[in-house]
Amino acid sequence: MTDLDQRISSTLRERAEGAVDTNRLTARAVAGGRARRRRRRAGAGVALGLTAALGAGVIAGLPSTGPAPQLAAPAVVAVAPPRADGIPGAAARPDLIGSDPQVLHFGADPARVRYLGWEVARGVESVQIDVGSGRAVTVDLARSSGALRQRPVEGLPGELGNLAAEAAFDGRAVRLGPDARPVLIRHWHPASGLFARAVVSEGTAAELLVAADLLRWDQARRCAAPLRLTALPPGATLAGCRVDLGAFPQALSATMTLTRTGERWMSVGLQYAQGVAGGRTEGNRTIGGRAAYLYPKGDQLELLGFPKAHLIADFGWPTVGFTEADATALLAGAQVADDLTRPETWQ
């Protein structure tokens, strides 16, 4: 038995509320983990239909207390969102969760995890981390269970939002879908007034426990991105910030979301990939002396001239309430980091 086998088996025994066949559970977890590590899948999405989701089960013996198992630190430690000194963490001020689209009121130990992304949107703060297994564990944090119910789990039908009902926050791991491609979800209260959800696709319950153990509720971090907006259209406010680093430094994306009164939305996204050979050079618009391109449907405007990257403002369906003029004003004030692979230059 390997060291990882022993740690998982030990954890299951410590947390068991009744008799648990640890040999069988450990063998399944380790065998599945080894096969998936060979594939090195870090994505969180998995295509599951409602029929498969109805075959959900609960993995017993995983309450919210007790020591978490230990996994090796990721081989590659990627960039972490920088500390936001002077801003209290979630444990001290749970009322601040989701209140500022540029601040995460919790984080993870950057020496023990690899950040794959972070996001603040619609009252929920999220991080995606690799705790050493090669898979993405997504952790969502909110001030209420209702906020999590409004935020769907990627790859699962929206009808399963009732999984975030008040009674679900008991620390157990719930398995959805068939054994071949399960999604594991765990809801718990890290502290008074905090509602947390951890999700891993095709992973193990041990990964959810490790992720929870490595989270830090006494710190705040900035939603730093290689894209900065210095001017917003009239009446618009910044509503969301998302950074995806699953393939960093070979590729990354950053998206900022704007809103206006009356459920009006617009987004601007930066997508970068080292493998991009070239890009559009001739535009049909000009923004601040730079070439820009309005796409044929008239609802996307791209500012040109960024090597291996696209900077596009999207004001089309399903959102309404913003125009080409708004997108022009937004892109005119957009600033992109000189070197997208150097996070220390991000804002």
Side-chain angles (χ1 to χ4, degrees):
M1 179 180 288
T2 68
D3 185 54
L4 175 58
D5 298 340
Q6 292 173 338
R7 286 195 292 268
I8 293 177
S9 181
S10 174
T11 299
L12 289 172
R13 289 194 183 97
E14 291 173 358
R15 292 166 177 268
E17 297 172 334
V20 177
D21 187 346
T22 58
N23 290 333
R24 180 174 60 85
L25 290 176
T26 299
R28 288 180 62 184
V30 174
R34 285 172 178 164
R36 285 184 287 273
R37 276 195 293 274
R38 286 195 295 268
R39 295 197 296 268
R40 301 300 296 173
R41 288 185 177 177
V46 56
L48 292 176
L50 179 59
T51 301
L54 292 177
V58 175
I59 299 179
L62 291 177
S64 57
T65 60
Q70 299 295 311
L71 296 181
V76 178
V77 179
V79 57
R83 292 287 294 268
D85 295 331
I87 298 179
R93 291 290 305 275
D95 58 302
L96 295 180
I97 299 299
S99 62
D100 186 339
Q102 296 179 296
V103 176
L104 294 153
H105 294 86
F106 76 111
D109 184 351
R112 298 292 308 282
V113 307
R114 178 190 176 202
Y115 273 92
L116 303 174
W118 49 83
E119 180 178 11
V120 183
R122 297 188 178 230
V124 179
E125 300 177 3
S126 306
V127 296
Q128 272 198 336
I129 54 177
D130 172 5
V131 297
S133 65
R135 285 175 292 270
V137 177
T138 300
V139 180
D140 300 318
L141 184 67
R143 288 177 283 173
S144 69
S145 61
L148 289 182
R149 286 195 295 273
Q150 294 298 316
R151 184 181 180 87
V153 176
E154 185 175 357
L156 292 179
E159 292 87 344
L160 295 178
N162 59 357
L163 285 174
E166 294 289 334
F169 290 83
D170 58 5
R172 293 181 297 169
V174 177
R175 187 205 314 272
L176 302 177
D179 288 342
R181 304 186 69 184
V183 174
L184 298 180
I185 302 180
R186 179 176 182 247
H187 295 86
W188 80 104
H189 292 291
S192 177
L194 297 179
F195 295 76
R197 175 176 66 195
V199 181
V200 63
S201 295
E202 301 186 54
T204 67
E207 290 168 73
L208 300 182
L209 296 174
V210 171
D213 188 55
L214 296 178
L215 296 174
R216 299 294 176 260
W217 312 106
D218 59 350
Q219 61 181 234
R221 293 180 177 270
R222 293 191 294 109
C223 189
L227 170 64
R228 181 185 179 194
L229 305 179
T230 64
L232 302 182
T237 58
L238 186 64
C241 166
R242 176 170 180 164
V243 177
D244 294 304
L245 299 171
F248 187 80
Q250 287 76 29
L252 65 84
S253 69
T255 304
M256 304 294 177
T257 305
L258 283 72
T259 188
R260 273 179 177 152
T261 303
E263 286 296 311
R264 301 177 180 184
W265 301 87
M266 176 172 68
S267 65
V268 57
L270 174 70
Q271 289 81 37
Y272 163 82
Q274 289 183 355
V276 174
R280 188 185 302 275
T281 57
E282 295 184 3
N284 52 20
R285 298 289 191 277
T286 301
I287 299 177
R290 300 183 62 160
Y293 181 76
L294 181 69
Y295 283 76
K297 288 187 177 181
D299 56 7
Q300 289 183 309
L301 183 63
E302 179 176 1
L303 187 60
L304 306 178
F306 298 101
K308 303 183 183 299
H310 297 279
L311 179 61
I312 301 176
D314 190 335
F315 51 98
W317 188 90
T319 61
V320 295
F322 286 88
T323 65
E324 180 187 342
D326 294 324
T328 299
L330 182 66
L331 292 176
Q335 296 181 354
V336 175
D338 292 335
D339 187 343
L340 297 178
T341 63
R342 294 180 57 212
E344 64 270 20
T345 68
W346 297 1
Q347 299 295 326

